Amino acid sequence: MTVALMWEARAVEGRGADLLAWARAQRLAGEPLRRETFRAPQDRVLVVTWWDAPYDAPLPELPEPGSELVTRAVHRWRFESVADD
């Protein structure tokens, strides 16, 4: 099964580039199948990692950045892939 972990944060105004650099520099305790980093308006950063694991497996996730970088707690979601019919 493939599990996707999504990590999304919103930077303090004007700190989007700093948050993006911080997220890209974070190393995980394991190697995902794939990792992608995105940015969006309002200084948002999204990191998606894909893992070959059961849905409820303990998987390494990006930590919370320091409060000087973000306006709120990080949002996290976990999804499992489904076959296309």
Side-chain angles (χ1 to χ4, degrees):
M1 168 185 299
T2 301
V3 176
L5 301 182
M6 296 179 65
W7 177 101
E8 186 265 338
R10 185 170 177 191
V12 170
E13 187 173 339
R15 302 283 316 265
D18 296 329
L19 179 60
L20 179 61
W22 180 91
R24 294 178 79 183
Q26 299 306 301
R27 297 294 159 239
L28 297 168
E31 187 66 31
L33 298 172
R34 183 172 160 193
R35 176 177 173 164
E36 286 192 62
T37 304
F38 303 85
R39 63 180 170 190
Q42 299 180 323
D43 289 327
R44 293 174 197 248
V45 175
L46 172 70
V47 179
V48 183
T49 56
W50 286 262
W51 303 86
D52 181 17
Y55 182 80
D56 57 355
L59 296 169
E61 297 193 47
L62 270 69
E64 292 278 333
S67 60
E68 72 283 357
L69 280 180
V70 293
T71 61
R72 57 164 168 73
V74 168
H75 291 174
R76 299 169 193 272
W77 300 275
R78 183 177 286 225
F79 296 90
E80 64 182 327
S81 63
V82 294
D84 292 330
D85 293 334

